[in-house]
């Protein structure tokens, strides 16, 4: 069965600094990969997704992620974070041919002013 | 586009009562919807897959008699927590897919259930 690991439970960065959130997955075939963001008490908003093709994916709010098959990783990056980026971030993998997602444990991002 | 509305956003109920949560796709038809449960500061756990016009498919360990799912139309799925207990208190989130071939889930804003 597929699984997703987000090694960092909590990350704190200063406003304006760069950000990288790690995500590793376990899946036999080529996965569908997603990054979602959740503000407190809210649902999830899709930041970006990877299905195939270019391994560097651009998303909303200035986020990007790179799929590295050799490392089974799909890390999320942003060159300069804003205070409004403080939230919980979830990486997820979907089964090819299916629509069910398996989520990682989430990474809580705190932004220092 | 692809808006999913969930209602209510929060609800408090007494032990032993039942609570119904609605999930609507506002601008698309959804033959499949998914119900997730999220404990505080934890990830989302898939509870069940709701299929329009047929029985829901429950994940292992989820009590189908406690969490009743009905997907009576292409735009509405409901989750009823029956005979609620304090341990059922949680954040419930639904999601829907706009089309059979779509691979992108759109999520509702969730429902905070507190059972006293």
């Amino acid at each position: 069965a597929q699984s997703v690991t987000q090694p960092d439970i909590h990350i704190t960065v200063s406003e304006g600094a760069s950000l990288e959130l790690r995500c590793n997955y376990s899946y036999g075939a080529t996965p569908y990969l997603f990054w979602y963001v959740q503000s407190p008490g809210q649902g999830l908003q899709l930041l970006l997704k990877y299905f195939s093709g270019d391994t560097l994916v651009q998303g909303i709010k200035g986020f990007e992620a790179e799929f590295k098959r050799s490392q089974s990783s799909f890390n999320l990056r942003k060159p300069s974070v804003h205070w409004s980026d403080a939230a919980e971030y979830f990486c997820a993998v979907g089964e090819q041919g299916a629509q069910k997602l398996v989520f990682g444990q989430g990474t809580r991002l705190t932004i220092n002013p | 586009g692809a808006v999913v509305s969930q209602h209510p956003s929060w609800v408090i109920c007494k032990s032993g009562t039942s609570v119904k949560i609605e999930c609507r796709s506002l601008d698309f038809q959804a033959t499949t919807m998914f119900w997730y449960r999220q404990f505080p500061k934890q990830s989302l756990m898939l509870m069940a897959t709701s299929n329009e016009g047929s029985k829901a498919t429950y994940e292992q360990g989820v009590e189908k008699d406690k969490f009743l799912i009905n997907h009576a139309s292409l735009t509405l799925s409901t989750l009823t927590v029956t005979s609620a207990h304090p341990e059922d208190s949680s954040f419930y989130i639904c999601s829907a897919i706009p089309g059979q071939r779509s691979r992108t889930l759109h999520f509702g804003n969730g429902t905070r259930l507190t059972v006293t």
Side-chain angles (χ1 to χ4, degrees), chain A:
Chain A
Q2 68 271 34
S3 65
V4 180
T5 301
Q6 293 179 246
D8 305 305
I9 296 174
H10 184 203
I11 285 182
T12 300
V13 299
S14 298
E15 190 169 15
S18 63
L19 170 72
E20 182 170 29
L21 302 183
R22 296 182 291 165
C23 173
N24 293 96
Y25 68 90
S26 172
Y27 187 63
T30 299
Y32 293 148
L33 294 163
F34 305 82
W35 274 100
Y36 285 89
V37 60
Q38 183 182 35
S39 296
Q42 299 293 312
L44 276 71
Q45 181 182 23
L46 179 67
L47 288 176
L48 45 78
K49 59 189 177 186
Y50 171 80
F51 293 165
S52 64
D54 192 346
T55 57
L56 184 61
V57 180
Q58 301 297 320
I60 63 172
K61 303 184 179 185
F63 286 94
E64 66 177 25
E66 186 171 12
F67 170 57
K68 293 185 177 180
R69 183 188 301 276
S70 61
Q71 298 177 19
S72 296
S73 69
F74 188 57
N75 294 348
L76 181 71
R77 301 193 294 252
K78 187 170 184 176
S80 177
V81 297
H82 187 262
W83 63 266
S84 59
D85 293 325
E88 189 88 19
Y89 290 80
F90 291 96
C91 180
V93 61
E95 290 182 345
Q96 201 164 19
Q99 297 168 328
K100 292 164 54 174
L101 295 187
V102 174
F103 286 85
Q105 302 92 319
T107 297
R108 183 161 59 96
L109 176 63
T110 299
I111 307 296
N112 281 337

Side-chain angles (χ1 to χ4, degrees), chain B residues 37-86:
Chain B
R37 182 173 181 177
Q38 185 180 30
F39 290 102
K41 299 186 179 182
Q42 294 190 27
S43 188
L44 286 77
M45 300 299 295
L46 180 64
M47 298 175 65
T49 302
S50 172
N51 303 297
E52 187 269 335
S54 64
K55 292 182 178 180
T57 303
Y58 290 82
E59 295 300 302
Q60 190 173 9
V62 177
E63 299 176 62
K64 58 182 67 176
D65 293 332
K66 164 164 278 293
F67 300 100
L68 300 180
I69 292 173
N70 183 275
H71 195 153
S73 78
L74 287 171
T75 60
L76 174 64
S77 175
T78 60
L79 168 67
T80 301
V81 183
T82 62
S83 186
H85 290 282

